[in-house]
Amino acid sequence: MSPAVQGLLTIAVAVTVCVGYFYSSNLLLDRVLFPAKGPNAGRNINVANAIRPWLFLFPAFAALALYLAYPVFESLRLSLFDRSQGNAFVGLDNYQRMIAEPKFREALGNNFLWLLIVPAASTAFGLLIAQLTDRLSWGSIAKSLIFMPMAISFVGASVIWKLVYEARPATVEQTGVLNALYVFFTDNNPLAWLTIPGWNSFLLMVVLIWIQTGFAMVILSAALRGIPEETVEAAIVDGANPFQIFFKIKVPQITSTIVVVWTTITITVLKVFDIVFAMTNGQWNTQVLANYMFDKLFRANDWGVGSAAAMVIMLLVTPILVWNVISVKRDYR
Amino acid sequence: MSNIAGHRSGAVWAVHLSVVFLVLLWSFPTVGLFVSSFRTADQIISSGWWSSLSTQESQRPPVRIAGDEFEEGGAFVIEGTLFELDEVKVSSWGTSSRRPTEFEPGATAELEDGASLSVQVDGSYRLSSPVTLEGQRLPRVFTTASSPPEFTTENYTNMLSSSGTAGGMGKAFLNTFTVTIPATIIPILFAAFAAYALAWMEFPGRLILIAAVVALLVVPLQLALIPLLKFHNAIGIGKGYMGVWLAHTGFGLPLAIYLLRNYMAGLPGDIIENARVDGATEFQIFTKIVLPLSFPALASFAIFQFLWTWNDLLVARVFLIDSSGQTTVMTNFVVELLGTRGGNWEILATAAFVSISVPLAVFFFMQKYLIRGLLAGSVK
């Protein structure tokens, strides 16, 4: 059976089963188990209404529990066991082995750089572009073009930027933009940028900044529009210059949105895998945690250390997770 | 309130110019890939793509003279033209790679065995020799010529026909659709019902469940790889489409529930209360009222999930792609090309552009829903 047909069948089966489940379980509840008639009609309606939410919730939350909640605990467990020793409990051995590896320390160090630079740069560029295009007649076209990389896969973006960083021998014409400019302005020999430690991590970050700026811009642009006009008008009347208006009036009013954008990009950074995988595969000092983990899990087949690395990523996400949960409790009460 | 910088026209110009600069900076890399995918392999390695947009003087790849000879005044002659295009203008030429610019157009070069070769400005050449040229190795001609922009769709026809140099892309393209469409539709079904319950039903523990969804929004899916692969192997689906559909469903659910719940909670309560008073069941309210009204949120999520599953590499590699090579997807196809044909930019650029063309089309046609979804989806 061709996969496409299988796909269509799966959609049909999934839709039927899903709708069938909700429809028949409701019917069962209302007509058979707790019918809204007879001597206990009132009580039955109440019981049925107390059960119904769980019918609606069950499939989604079962999937969530299995596909996202359980793996957190299973990864934690795997990180404490060693497969090569017959699944023996080894305590923190995997973590110790991991920390002793130079490649892990390199990945951790790089990840901190990524965490510092990418969210900051994306948010700053996003804010700048949002402000500049705010009252521009052709602003929406400009924003649309800057937003476009959001639709491009990390892999596609890697190919796009590899062409930018392309290095050709010094004797022939450069086909990568970066080297063409570099040779033109400095008259030095072209460099293989992606193999130069220090520069290369930064150039990989540029790819993610390029993608994420559009996201930051869209959110911040909406936030800027939401600022009450009176505050800006009042500042103008008081003689504030455009920079003062931007930094002292507008930015303070959208701080919470800036934090949201920043944290969202932070999470994306922690998960970034494809860009490093496709462009350098962690060579030349560009390793990051997500790619290190993939290496351990699927190349070295070392589930213990791989899971330990996954737990490190989880640990780095946890503060944001806790903060989000707290703000839900505050907002929805 | 007009432009706050509007008092001075200089400032307005500065704003316009800096936005133009930023837009160019942001689109330049993508345009480069796009343009490169319409150039031949020789063009790509001999000049930067930006120079292909205008008439350029460049050293062209050598052409070996070929053709049928004829006799003329006791000499054996081959005539022909070096270029298929009319508008190429030769500025200098040569017959050895060490001196590719030795001769002016129109000059005659003396070759071994008394043969002579001349090349004109338009690229037409005449090779004459006192002895027959039959069976001889004919000379190569190196030219420096200015040529107008020149593009070809050859790369695309090569890639899309399965017999081409890097065949198999058509298959990867179809596979990607096979992954994405069920992986987009199934989570919506699951999530819509749960979102309705979280938005409009009263029950104990509702807040905790909402908090759980928000918490799961940020859990990195990296943690799920090994545990779920073990689980899929244990229940017998192993690596395959079923596995990748289920995985994408699970990973997409938190965002789906979160987006849909927020949207549904904002629907006018009177309609739902009235329907309840009129005796509609919850199931009817959901399917007849809430679901149709939630269309914008459903569309937003569908676009997100489609883009995310189309662009995904990690989940496909872990849950779908096995050693048989039959189930590759576009992203993986491009990554493998990067490994095996890293220098063949005509193939890479074309494959990459095909792989990003679908998301780009979705992006430009449904940007409204995408932006709406982004605004609703970023956790407050």
Side-chain angles (χ1 to χ4, degrees):
Chain A
M1 188 165 50
S2 113
V5 177
Q6 198 193 341
L8 288 177
L9 265 178
T10 311
I11 296 178
V13 170
V15 172
T16 322
V17 167
C18 207
V19 173
Y21 159 81
F22 288 113
Y23 186 74
S24 56
S25 63
N26 267 284
L27 211 62
L28 190 73
L29 193 68
D30 287 334
R31 297 284 161 78
V32 183
L33 294 180
F34 304 101
K37 54 182 184 252
N40 297 329
R43 197 184 65 100
N44 276 357
I45 291 176
N46 286 342
V47 175
N49 281 341
I51 295 177
R52 198 178 340 267
W54 302 102
L55 289 181
F56 275 59
L57 293 167
F58 173 72
F61 277 83
L64 278 182
L66 180 61
Y67 274 81
L68 283 168
Y70 152 76
V72 175
F73 299 101
E74 178 66 6
S75 284
L76 181 62
R77 193 189 68 80
L78 284 171
S79 74
L80 302 175
F81 286 79
D82 191 342
R83 212 153 60 115
S84 60
Q85 296 175 31
N87 281 329
F89 178 79
V90 292
L92 294 177
D93 259 21
N94 289 321
Y95 290 89
Q96 276 165 0
R97 272 200 296 144
M98 179 175 74
I99 291 165
E101 268 192 54
K103 211 61 190 166
F104 170 77
R105 274 175 280 160
E106 172 196 320
L108 200 61
N110 280 336
N111 248 90
F112 273 112
L113 277 182
W114 280 74
L115 286 176
L116 280 180
I117 296 173
V118 177
S122 307
T123 313
F125 275 119
L127 189 57
L128 174 73
I129 296 167
Q131 167 65 25
L132 288 179
T133 54
D134 196 25
R135 313 279 167 170
L136 223 53
S137 51
W138 54 288
S140 62
I141 300 169
K143 279 196 272 191
S144 178
L145 285 170
I146 288 170
F147 189 36
M148 186 190 68
M150 271 296 278
I152 296 176
S153 60
F154 287 159
V155 172
S158 303
V159 176
I160 289 174
W161 283 88
K162 250 197 137 151
L163 183 61
V164 173
Y165 301 149
E166 178 82 346
R168 306 254 304 137
T171 48
V172 299
E173 208 175 320
Q174 291 304 312
T175 56
V177 180
L178 185 62
N179 266 323
L181 291 174
Y182 179 72
V183 170
F184 182 78
F185 283 111
T186 65
D187 234 7
N188 290 341
N189 279 339
L191 298 171
W193 296 99
L194 289 176
T195 61
I196 308 170
W199 275 107
N200 52 8
S201 279
F202 179 71
L203 293 174
L204 296 187
M205 290 177 211
V206 168
V207 182
L208 193 57
I209 295 169
W210 179 68
I211 294 174
Q212 293 293 327
T213 295
F215 163 75
M217 176 200 71
V218 164
I219 310 259
L220 294 170
S221 168
L224 283 177
R225 297 233 161 138
I227 291 177
E229 300 258 312
E230 306 85 66
T231 58
V232 180
E233 279 166 25
I236 292 176
V237 170
D238 288 348
N241 68 34
F243 289 97
Q244 286 173 322
I245 291 171
F246 181 67
F247 287 107
K248 300 218 166 126
I249 308 292
K250 289 189 167 180
V251 171
Q253 294 193 68
I254 58 168
T255 323
S256 66
T257 314
I258 292 177
V259 172
V260 168
V261 169
W262 195 294
T263 50
T264 311
I265 299 175
T266 302
I267 292 166
T268 313
V269 169
L270 280 170
K271 298 181 193 173
V272 72
F273 153 80
D274 318 35
I275 294 176
V276 176
F277 182 78
M279 290 185 84
T280 62
N281 201 7
Q283 289 170 284
W284 310 296
N285 279 329
T286 55
Q287 191 65 295
V288 292
L289 282 175
N291 194 52
Y292 172 83
M293 192 207 79
F294 187 85
D295 247 11
K296 284 290 161 201
L297 288 182
F298 298 104
R299 292 220 184 84
N301 258 319
D302 189 340
W303 289 7
V305 172
S307 300
M311 290 316 292
V312 173
I313 301 179
M314 184 68 210
L315 196 70
L316 292 173
V317 173
T318 306
I320 300 172
L321 188 151
V322 171
W323 186 72
N324 278 351
V325 169
I326 291 171
S327 53
V328 164
K329 296 226 153 164
R330 196 183 52 224
D331 293 348
Y332 289 79
R333 214 172 269 288
Chain B
M1 173 77 11
S2 65
N3 193 329
I4 49 162
H7 307 297
R8 284 163 297 165
S9 64
V12 174
W13 275 107
V15 169
H16 276 283
L17 283 179
S18 42
V19 175
V20 167
F21 173 74
L22 286 165
V23 167
L24 288 180
L25 192 67
W26 249 256
S27 15
F28 195 74
T30 319
V31 175
L33 187 81
F34 181 67
V35 171
S36 295
S37 73
F38 289 100
R39 305 178 76 203
T40 63
D42 284 333
Q43 288 173 323
I44 293 177
I45 54 166
S46 61
S47 65
W49 63 266
W50 52 92
S51 61
S52 72
L53 301 174
S54 57
T55 297
Q56 284 291 323
E57 187 170 284
S58 62
Q59 197 172 332
R60 298 180 68 90
V63 178
R64 191 174 290 284
I65 284 173
D68 294 324
E69 62 178 0
F70 56 90
E71 278 192 70
E72 192 184 277
F76 295 87
V77 177
I78 296 179
E79 279 187 347
T81 179
L82 296 169
F83 314 117
E84 284 161 17
L85 287 160
D86 298 335
E87 295 126 71
V88 182
K89 301 254 184 301
V90 176
S91 57
S92 63
W93 61 281
T95 54
S96 88
S97 55
R98 272 168 291 131
R99 287 197 301 276
T101 56
E102 198 177 356
F103 303 106
E104 297 279 296
T108 302
E110 299 300 328
L111 306 174
E112 305 154 21
D113 304 330
S116 65
L117 174 69
S118 67
V119 175
Q120 305 300 323
V121 172
D122 64 355
S124 61
Y125 60 84
R126 179 184 165 94
L127 174 68
S128 80
S129 164
V131 294
T132 179
L133 295 158
E134 202 78 40
Q136 281 195 43
R137 213 170 125 83
L138 297 175
R140 284 192 298 173
V141 181
F142 295 81
T143 46
T144 303
S146 63
S147 52
E150 186 186 340
F151 299 104
T152 171
T153 52
E154 206 177 295
N155 297 332
Y156 286 90
T157 44
N158 274 348
M159 292 295 292
L160 292 170
S161 67
S162 53
S163 58
T165 37
M169 192 176 69
K171 191 175 185 58
F173 195 75
L174 280 182
N175 286 347
T176 316
F177 269 111
T178 312
V179 170
T180 50
I181 294 181
T184 304
I185 293 177
I186 300 170
I188 292 181
L189 285 170
F190 279 40
F193 281 93
Y196 174 67
L198 290 176
W200 286 104
M201 288 172 159
E202 287 294 335
F203 59 92
R206 192 166 77 152
L207 197 64
I208 293 172
L209 287 183
I210 296 175
V213 170
V214 172
L216 292 176
L217 264 177
V218 300
V219 169
L221 66 88
Q222 267 91 352
L223 272 85
L225 303 179
I226 288 291
L228 289 183
L229 198 57
K230 271 172 62 183
F231 169 70
H232 283 175
N233 286 332
I235 61 170
I237 53 179
K239 279 191 166 198
Y241 285 107
M242 191 53 88
V244 81
W245 290 328
L246 288 175
H248 275 312
T249 300
F251 301 149
L253 271 176
L255 183 67
I257 299 175
Y258 183 77
L259 272 183
L260 293 176
R261 194 220 83 94
N262 282 359
Y263 191 86
M264 287 178 184
L267 293 175
D270 318 1
I271 306 179
I272 292 162
E273 285 309 319
N274 282 344
R276 277 191 184 138
V277 171
D278 290 347
T281 66
E282 293 287 342
F283 190 76
Q284 285 168 330
I285 296 173
F286 174 71
T287 51
K288 301 248 167 70
I289 299 172
V290 173
L291 211 51
L293 284 177
S294 306
F295 176 76
L298 295 174
S300 292
F301 173 74
I303 292 167
F304 266 115
Q305 180 76 355
F306 179 82
L307 289 181
W308 149 245
T309 49
W310 184 281
N311 289 339
D312 157 76
L313 172 69
L314 184 59
V315 176
R317 273 186 88 97
V318 173
F319 293 105
L320 172 66
I321 295 162
D322 51 29
S323 49
S324 74
Q326 291 301 303
T327 49
T328 188
V329 292
M330 280 310 295
T331 46
N332 189 56
F333 183 78
V334 172
V335 163
E336 281 180 357
L337 280 184
L338 265 180
T340 56
R341 291 166 173 276
N344 295 27
W345 275 105
E346 76 287 1
I347 296 177
L348 260 178
T350 313
F353 202 79
V354 170
S355 92
I356 65 176
S357 60
V358 173
L360 283 185
V362 170
F363 171 81
F364 279 115
F365 286 110
M366 302 191 210
Q367 208 180 138
K368 187 178 77 180
Y369 291 112
L370 188 66
I371 290 178
R372 196 179 290 171
L374 269 187
L375 291 175
S378 50
V379 187
K380 297 255 158 37

